[in-house]
Amino acid sequence: MQKTTYGAAEILRLLNGLLAVITGITAIALTLGIYCGHTGGQMYTVPLVQSRLRLLLIPAGLWLCCSFAALVAAGAPKKAVLAPKPAYSGTPALRRCAWAAAGAAVLWMLVYLCTVGNFESRDLEMTVGKMVLWLSPAAAILLTAAYLLQKQSSPKPADLPARTAAVIRLVLMILAVILLAAGVRNGGMRDVLVKAINICTECIGLG
Amino acid sequence: MDKQLNCSPLSRLKPSKRRLIQLYSALLYNAQLKGFVEGQIYTGPLKNICVPGMNCYSCPGAVAGCPLGALQNALASTTTRAPAYMLGILLLFGLTLGRTICSYLCPFGLIQELLHKIPSPKLKKSRVTRALSRLKYVILAVFVIAVPLLYSLQHFPVPAFCKYICPAGTLEGAIGLLSNPNNADKLSMLGILFTRKFIILVVILVGSVFVFRLFCRFLCPLGAIYSLFAKFALIGVKVDTDRCTGCGLCVRQCKVDIRHVGDAECIQCGACAKCCPVDAISWQVGSKKVKSNPERPLWKRVLPWAAALILLGGVLWFVNKPEKAAEPAAPEASREGVSNADTPDTNAEAAVTETADPESESEDGTLPEVGKDAGMLLPDFTASVYGGEPFDTAAQRGKILVINFWATWCTPCVNELPHFEALAAEYADTVSVIALHSDLVTEDVDAWLARENIALTFGLDETGEIIKSLGGSTMLPMTVIVDADGIITYNKVGSVTYETLTGLVREASGE
């Protein structure tokens, strides 16, 4: 009997995952449909958005029902203890290559970002698009290097001595207070207020 | 280890203390409940400060600023003002709470955790996820720091993370505002930017069902900032290395990509303290261990919660209290004495009068109503002008009038100013163009105008009275076009292109 419940719960869990993906893909497809089907004039209109939301209700409703059923069927959660992962056992030569690649990737990024000419255009779509295209390979190299250079987990942390940490904390705290006072004085706080009480339509993605 | 396995269905429904604090802070950050009803954001003094977690300040409920948005804004104006205030705030948050903010005080973290509760196959942490957790540092360096700083050299504000990535902004700000029927007209602004950000939001939300705190672990630059303080934060989970047997259970139980408890990836949720078989992990304030003592007197246990509830009640009352009715306008509406200054007199109020021009009579002899919508008569106003005589709209009758509301910190506003400049040059005989800086700050505008050298009439709507009279509130940019008879033909929030402007002007001229 217990085995049957467990089986049903597992199936519901898988089905629920599938429905989550379907709902997400439907939402993206419907949004892209509005964008691609736009032939001039206002892109998003209330009736159009409402009609798309109605279509989304079908997978979203199914997902909601399935989630509820899966929650009921799940019972007590299993505390999965994750298996310890062995450290990457790359050769020293490979590790050296990874370090070199990471250094090159950082340099690549710095050179791109420090070239003021790359950020002269006020066509932000083009500038940021180009930047993402140029920096993505460098970021991918960095992440690959981070993968290769991982160390074994060490549950016992090598923390700073408590006294050293306390001194650093105190110094930084004093610095924070000085910065705050300087910020209030130079109008930085007013800037925060001005930005926060107005809405820059592009900043929240409205356009 | 047995102590963690109290997992009856009822115990699952009981929220943990952490969940209660998360819900509490989400409510506290978004205490302006009337904003959700009215579709307007809070504009009170609490927005001088920032909350520690990620909560978009354009959310209708938000009562304080978002540290990430404010940081980008501060970096974008580095050439005029050192970003001391925001650096101080982030340093203070990082030093006191560190990444405890992520697990206890971040509303977007709460949303992701709740989504992860939905039963589905879960992606376990691995070396790949650990490598991916470095991505947030790249995003911090490029989108939050480099791009705003580089564009600040051109005095062009670009909060790149907010604009291109931030899912909290899309969910709380854009969708939060647009889901209110009062803002239905703002749908006209949506285009590729919203489409792209909405897709990012959907991917992150659906991904959070499968991956624990997808955004926090791999993408959040605020978490990346707080992770720099992991070793120094005053409050956090610490390991007693003398007691620790090095069994590694804490690391294996943890859902995020830590190498050891309390490292940069640790979000300080404290779950490991419950699973440690030798009680080596505990909460610490500085070097002092915090022990939960069930023997404590009741008042000591209740007091913090009572104080928190009083604070929440106070904030709820303060931000939701009904506003005082506006005093009736003074009968004398014209604005004398602000004419010749290079910088407008900031003590004087912009005057808006709701009078109808007799020449504006329609064909059937009736006067259109004064108002803000297309087809209505423009309420006359006089605005002070930078380096010139006051601008009186009544004196512009016979010409098409184009009013643009903008601000120096607003990227789309600054981006579209050249279109208005070109329009003013092209249609100098038939069109009057005024760009009204709708903001509180006055000193920056002078310097900005001197630098940019845009040939346009720049005025000031310091108190926001003019923009309010035209139905605007807090959203920029906004453009209003008025025909030669003083009738409004266009009034919308959002960017316009030169082609759109010329089309609207032709429409207003009856072509």
Side-chain angles (χ1 to χ4, degrees):
Chain A
M1 183 67 191
Q2 230 178 3
K3 199 174 177 182
T4 317
T5 315
Y6 176 76
E10 276 300 292
I11 291 166
L12 277 172
R13 215 162 57 88
L14 288 170
L15 185 65
N16 207 30
L18 187 69
L19 282 170
V21 174
I22 290 172
T23 308
I25 290 174
T26 312
I28 291 171
L30 291 172
T31 315
L32 281 175
I34 294 177
Y35 179 70
C36 298
H38 170 246
T39 51
Q42 191 172 330
M43 191 183 289
Y44 289 81
T45 57
V46 175
L48 190 63
V49 172
Q50 279 174 346
S51 70
R52 296 296 193 270
L53 282 176
R54 270 195 291 274
L55 286 175
L56 188 64
L57 270 180
I58 301 163
L62 279 173
W63 182 28
L64 196 72
C65 295
C66 191
S67 294
F68 184 71
L71 276 169
V72 171
K78 298 190 298 296
K79 284 275 176 182
V81 177
L82 304 171
K85 299 282 176 189
Y88 180 78
S89 54
T91 60
L94 191 63
R95 290 180 72 84
R96 274 197 295 276
C97 282
W99 273 114
V106 170
L107 192 68
W108 177 349
M109 283 184 165
L110 282 176
V111 168
Y112 187 88
L113 293 173
C114 293
T115 310
V116 179
N118 290 329
F119 298 93
E120 272 176 351
S121 167
R122 290 200 174 181
D123 182 351
L124 291 176
E125 295 294 311
M126 194 203 72
T127 308
V128 174
K130 199 176 129 196
M131 180 186 79
V132 170
L133 273 181
W134 272 91
L135 297 188
S136 295
I141 292 170
L142 261 182
L143 295 181
T144 312
Y147 176 83
L148 294 174
L149 292 169
Q150 275 175 40
K151 290 179 189 166
Q152 174 71 49
S153 296
S154 54
K156 276 193 176 186
D159 269 345
L160 284 173
R163 201 178 166 81
T164 316
V167 170
I168 295 173
R169 198 184 301 128
L170 183 70
V171 171
L172 289 176
M173 202 75 90
I174 292 167
L175 180 68
V177 173
I178 292 170
L179 281 171
L180 271 176
V184 172
R185 209 177 140 77
N186 77 358
M189 190 165 94
R190 197 173 166 79
D191 271 1
V192 171
L193 174 73
V194 167
K195 188 72 202 280
I197 61 170
N198 290 293
I199 300 171
C200 165
T201 53
E202 271 192 2
C203 305
I204 53 170
L206 290 184
Chain B
M1 185 159 165
D2 287 339
K3 62 186 173 177
Q4 58 159 329
L5 297 175
N6 177 22
C7 297
S8 67
L10 269 180
S11 76
R12 278 199 303 142
L13 291 174
K14 190 182 160 195
S16 62
K17 263 187 200 168
R18 187 166 78 88
R19 188 72 75 235
L20 287 176
I21 295 172
Q22 282 179 307
L23 289 166
Y24 172 85
S25 51
L27 182 57
L28 187 67
Y29 294 175
N30 297 293
Q32 201 212 199
L33 301 177
K34 68 175 182 185
F36 293 105
V37 181
E38 294 167 358
Q40 296 285 332
I41 64 166
Y42 171 70
T43 55
L46 289 178
K47 279 205 168 163
N48 272 304
I49 52 166
C50 292
V51 293
M54 203 151 153
N55 191 66
C56 184
Y57 44 36
S58 296
C59 174
V63 294
C66 165
L68 211 52
L71 175 68
Q72 289 169 86
N73 188 42
L75 291 174
S77 50
T78 307
T79 44
T80 49
R81 181 176 293 126
Y85 183 69
M86 277 321 298
L87 291 179
I89 279 194
L90 288 171
L91 206 55
L92 206 60
F93 284 154
L95 283 171
T96 48
L97 298 164
R99 287 204 80 180
T100 310
I101 292 165
C102 301
S103 59
Y104 281 81
L105 303 175
C106 181
F108 202 67
L110 169 68
I111 292 169
Q112 290 172 84
E113 279 192 14
L114 293 177
L115 283 170
H116 194 68
K117 289 261 173 201
I118 295 173
S120 71
K122 306 294 179 196
L123 183 79
K124 288 178 183 169
K125 66 178 180 179
S126 65
R127 284 195 299 269
V128 175
T129 58
R130 195 183 280 178
L132 277 176
S133 64
R134 303 287 187 265
L135 186 59
K136 60 179 173 284
Y137 298 99
V138 177
I139 290 175
L140 171 68
V142 175
F143 283 88
V144 178
I145 299 173
V147 176
L149 266 181
L150 284 162
Y151 270 103
S152 79
L153 298 174
Q154 297 179 42
H155 308 284
F156 186 53
V158 183
F161 178 77
C162 291
K163 187 174 168 181
Y164 293 105
I165 300 176
C166 185
T170 317
L171 181 67
E172 299 169 5
I175 297 178
L177 283 168
L178 291 175
S179 55
N180 192 298
N182 292 343
N183 292 322
D185 59 323
K186 309 289 186 297
L187 277 175
S188 62
M189 278 187 279
L190 305 187
I192 178 68
L193 191 66
F194 177 78
T195 308
R196 207 168 38 210
K197 280 194 75 179
F198 182 75
I199 291 171
I200 292 174
L201 173 70
V202 171
V203 169
I204 287 171
L205 292 184
V206 173
S208 299
V209 175
F210 304 98
V211 186
F212 182 72
R213 283 184 172 246
L214 173 83
F215 178 74
C216 308
R217 283 161 70 188
F218 308 138
L219 303 168
C220 181
L222 194 58
I225 293 172
Y226 291 144
S227 73
L228 303 175
F229 300 96
K231 281 188 191 297
F232 321 115
L234 189 68
I235 296 170
V237 181
K238 302 273 168 20
V239 181
D240 183 344
T241 42
D242 296 334
R243 274 190 171 188
C244 177
T245 57
C247 69
L249 190 62
C250 49
V251 176
R252 295 203 300 277
Q253 289 275 12
C254 182
K255 289 179 183 169
V256 298
D257 306 280
I258 59 168
R259 280 188 58 235
H260 60 76
V261 173
D263 70 4
E265 295 305 318
C266 175
I267 57 166
Q268 311 277 352
C269 65
C272 50
K274 291 175 194 152
C275 78
C276 180
V278 291
D279 283 332
I281 304 169
S282 60
W283 282 96
Q284 285 190 17
V285 178
S287 54
K288 200 177 172 190
K289 207 178 268 187
V290 180
K291 283 183 182 172
S292 64
N293 180 9
E295 303 290 307
R296 274 189 311 171
L298 184 67
W299 70 269
K300 273 194 177 176
R301 276 180 282 154
V302 170
L303 193 67
W305 291 101
L309 280 177
I310 290 169
L311 173 70
L312 179 65
V315 173
L316 280 169
W317 172 81
F318 181 70
V319 299
N320 291 297
K321 66 180 179 215
E323 281 171 24
K324 283 178 193 166
E327 286 177 16
E332 181 52 59
S334 67
R335 189 171 154 190
E336 305 290 339
V338 290
S339 54
N340 55 359
D342 279 352
T343 305
D345 180 357
T346 53
N347 294 321
E349 298 268 317
V352 181
T353 50
E354 298 203 348
T355 54
D357 185 344
E359 288 174 19
S360 307
E361 279 184 18
S362 59
E363 282 169 9
D364 60 359
T366 56
L367 282 173
E369 199 184 333
V370 177
K372 59 185 174 56
D373 299 323
M376 296 177 115
L377 198 60
L378 176 81
D380 284 331
F381 63 84
T382 310
S384 45
V385 168
Y386 285 91
E389 296 290 312
F391 187 92
D392 184 3
T393 51
Q396 309 301 321
R397 295 285 188 273
K399 279 177 128 182
I400 292 166
L401 175 60
V402 178
I403 308 161
N404 171 237
F405 292 93
W406 72 293
T408 49
W409 49 261
C410 165
T411 319
C413 306
V414 173
N415 227 1
E416 68 177 8
L417 279 178
H419 305 322
F420 288 93
E421 186 185 21
L423 184 83
E426 177 79 22
Y427 296 88
D429 299 333
T430 53
V431 178
S432 288
V433 183
I434 182 163
L436 286 174
H437 195 269
S438 183
D439 200 339
L440 297 168
V441 177
T442 54
E443 63 270 26
D444 282 341
V445 187
D446 267 342
W448 194 93
L449 293 177
R451 254 190 329 262
E452 295 296 312
N453 199 23
I454 297 176
L456 206 57
T457 307
F458 284 98
L460 181 67
D461 176 24
E462 197 204 11
T463 56
E465 200 176 316
I466 299 174
I467 195 168
K468 271 184 213 155
S469 73
L470 289 167
S473 54
T474 50
M475 278 197 196
L476 293 175
M478 179 170 140
T479 301
V480 180
I481 297 182
V482 184
D483 70 11
D485 297 327
I487 311 289
I488 297 170
T489 59
Y490 177 88
N491 182 354
K492 274 188 181 169
V493 174
S495 305
V496 285
T497 60
Y498 181 71
E499 289 71 30
T500 314
L501 273 178
T502 48
L504 290 168
V505 165
R506 273 199 293 272
E507 205 176 284
S509 63
E511 281 180 28

